[in-house]
Every structure is written in C-alpha cells, then in structure tokens.
Amino acid sequence: MIEILTLSGGIGGAKLVLGLDRILSPGTLATVCNTGDDFEHLGLSISPDIDTVTYTLASIANTKTGWGRANETWTFMAALADLGGETWFQLGDADLALHVERTRQLALGESLSDITDIIRRRLVIGSEIIPMSDQPVRTRVKTRDGILPFQHYFVKHRCCPAVNGFEFDGIDLAQPAPRFSELLTGDKLKAIIICPSNPFISIDPILALPGVCQALRDNGAPVVAISPIINGQAIKGPTAKMMAELGLPVDSAGIAMHYGNLIDALVVDHSDSARLPDTGPRIFRAATLMHSEADKRALAGEVLSIAKSLGTNC
Ligand code: GDP
C-alpha cells in the first residue's frame, strides 16, 4: 500500500527518491514524474524525468551526467552523425532501446502510465513510478528571443536565453494520471513530498494539472518540500538563474514564497543563511546536499520524521 507520494523532476528529485526507496518498506513509495519535458525526437517519444527516476532506482543511471545510463555505448549517435542527422540531443545505445520500446507501445495504444509501470517492473523496481498525466503536456519557455520548446531551451540553447515565463501546452486538456488521482484522493497517504527539483519546470507542470493543488490541500497528508537552493545557489541546472530572471529572491525564501500555502513545511539546509519568512510554511533544517547514497538515505529519513511530526495521517 502506497503511504508516501513524491513529486519529482529529474536529477535533484531522483536523488531523494532513491533515498526514500532504499529506506522504506517495498511497495510503499510512489513517485509522480513531470512529463512537461517530454518530447518527440527522431520519431521517438522521450520522457527525460521518468527515465532519470527509473534508471536511478534501477541503479543503472549515469550519475556523472545526471541523464542517461551508466556504461553506455554510442554507436547509434556516431552513425547518425556520419549520416548528417540531428545530434544535439544525445541518445546512448541502451537508452535508445527504452525510447524505441516506449514509442512502439504508445503506437499500439498503451497509456504512458502502463508503459512506465511495465518498464519499472522489468527493471525490478519496487517503488511505483507514475507519469503526471497520460495526455501530452509540453513546457514552453518564454524568453527574450521568443518562445522555445523546452528541450530546445534546455539542451540546444543550454539555458542561455533569459526567461520571463513558462507555458504548459496541453495542460487544460490533460488530466492527472489515473493512479496519481487515486492516490491523491485516497486517505492512505502519510506524506506528500515535493522533491528538491526545479519548481518552475519540474514541479509546476504537475501542480498545474487540473485539480491537483486542491487535491493536495484536501488530502490531509502533510506536504513537505525540500529546497533545491542552498545559500542562493542551485546544485545543478538553471533554477537560480531562472529565479533571478523572474525577479524572485534567489534563495530558500524565494522557494518558500513560490510554494506558499500549498506546503506545510520547507526543509532547508543547515548551512543556508537565507532570511526565511516568519509566515508561510514551517521551516525545518536538515543536511540537504546529497552526494552519496548515505546522504540520500539520511535526508529521506529526516524528511519522513518531519512529515511524521506534522502529520494528522501518521
Ligand atoms: P531536472 O528535471 O533534471 O532539471 O531535475 P530536477 O528538477 O529534479 O532537479 C534540479 C534541481 O535539483 C536543481 O534546482 C538543483 O539545485 C537541485 N538539486 C540537485 N542536487 C541537489 C541536492 O543534492 N540537494 C538539493 N537540496 N537540491 C539539489
């Protein structure tokens, strides 16, 4: 029975999800992954955040790059380059197999939820992995140079253009995935954890799905977020740069403001010197920088204790 529900993007989220997966009883953790980063490329359906979480839990992720699989070979990319094909988005040979299989099953009419579940079972992952929606939602980044599809902004343009907003194309027609809705509206959750993921491009697409914010508030389980910012800096990726460009304070106070009364608690690093607001979510301290698996397990344990101290459902 699922007791802990996490909302996650890719790199930062997957670290905490790994810690939780390793310390919780099998079958009690479910992770809802952002699919706003999904895109179609070379005829393939690619779901970067689902794949990062899946590879991480299966212990086959490339932890150096933060994307793709460890011990990859690159025969496909090299052959594609020889043919003059598009090579700006790197696809390793083993990674490619997952995209081919997902694309094949989608073409047969399977849902992204079912495909994701089949793949995680094949990779012997005990925790559930759930796409935020089975309908396509595509993040577009509003920049000074115009509106860019997410992967063009993120990979092709390396996050260089200054950001002034986001659009989640398809969000009005999308529904939360059936399993996500079932867990959110059920009464079995002991905690809802918002991972230390990018709030704007990893978590907001999930929260923007119709009914999700209301269901989070109505669920009754404590909602705990972990700040992805430590002392004004992101550990990886454009979170801090985006906050500055959006005119938000670039610190954990900015994260607290962003989530506002949606969350009951924000966990910030022991070393974080940001001046945190007296109103809004309760602030807790923990060691939130995760390098080793021990760090991930330790933060997971801290977050569960914090949720327990807050929880009416616990
Ligand atoms: P993406 O979808 O691959 O960009 O990954 P996420 O959105 O899940 O994660 C990106 C965020 O994770 C960035 O804002 C990082 O600052 C944050 N992050 C990465 N590693 C850590 C860590 O060890 N601790 C904390 N607190 N945040 C982290």
Side-chain angles (χ1 to χ4, degrees), residues 9-13 15 49 196-198 202 227-228 234-236 239 288 290:
I11 298 172
K15 288 183 180 180
D49 288 352
S197 291
N198 185 312
S202 293
S227 177
I235 315 309
K236 200 168 176 20
T239 308
T288 68
M290 296 170 279

Side-chain angles (χ1 to χ4, degrees), residues 28-230:
T28 59
L29 173 68
T31 296
V32 172
C33 290
N34 169 45
T35 59
D37 298 6
D38 290 15
F39 74 132
E40 288 70 39
H41 183 58
L42 306 176
L44 301 170
S45 296
I46 300 178
S47 297
D49 288 352
I50 291 176
D51 295 349
T52 296
V53 170
T54 302
Y55 290 153
T56 300
L57 293 188
S59 303
I60 55 175
N62 184 335
T63 48
K64 288 199 191 83
T65 56
W67 51 267
R69 291 178 63 146
N71 306 315
E72 265 293 10
T73 56
W74 299 94
T75 305
F76 168 76
M77 280 321 277
L80 188 64
D82 287 346
L83 297 172
E86 276 194 54
T87 54
W88 60 271
F89 194 86
Q90 296 282 298
L91 294 167
D93 298 331
D95 188 29
L96 184 64
L98 172 49
H99 308 311
V100 169
E101 180 56 11
R102 175 190 292 123
T103 306
R104 184 186 75 83
Q105 293 195 32
L106 282 171
L108 291 174
E110 299 289 344
S111 68
L112 185 59
S113 290
D114 286 348
I115 298 164
T116 304
D117 199 55
I118 290 167
I119 288 168
R120 70 105 183 159
R121 286 171 193 272
R122 294 287 307 186
L123 294 177
V124 202
I125 296 168
S127 297
E128 289 186 33
I129 302 172
I130 306 167
M132 68 182 204
S133 177
D134 285 334
Q135 290 80 42
V137 175
R138 298 291 178 261
T139 299
R140 297 191 195 286
V141 186
K142 294 188 202 169
T143 76
R144 287 200 199 123
D145 308 340
I147 298 179
L148 295 171
F150 179 76
Q151 295 298 344
H152 285 242
Y153 162 80
F154 198 70
V155 180
K156 207 170 186 177
H157 297 284
R158 296 176 189 184
C159 309
C160 287
V163 166
N164 46 41
F166 304 91
E167 291 175 357
F168 306 127
D169 201 26
I171 199 84
D172 295 337
L173 297 174
Q175 293 297 316
R179 182 67 171 145
F180 181 21
S181 288
E182 184 187 337
L183 292 171
L184 266 188
T185 54
D187 60 1
K188 300 289 184 286
L189 294 180
K190 293 188 172 173
I192 300 171
I193 297 170
I194 299 182
C195 287
S197 291
N198 185 312
F200 313 105
I201 52 176
S202 293
I203 302 299
D204 280 359
I206 305 176
L207 300 178
L209 284 163
V212 165
C213 284
Q214 192 60 47
L216 274 183
R217 287 195 201 96
D218 293 347
N219 182 276
V223 182
V224 180
I226 297 84
S227 177
I229 296 286
I230 302 178

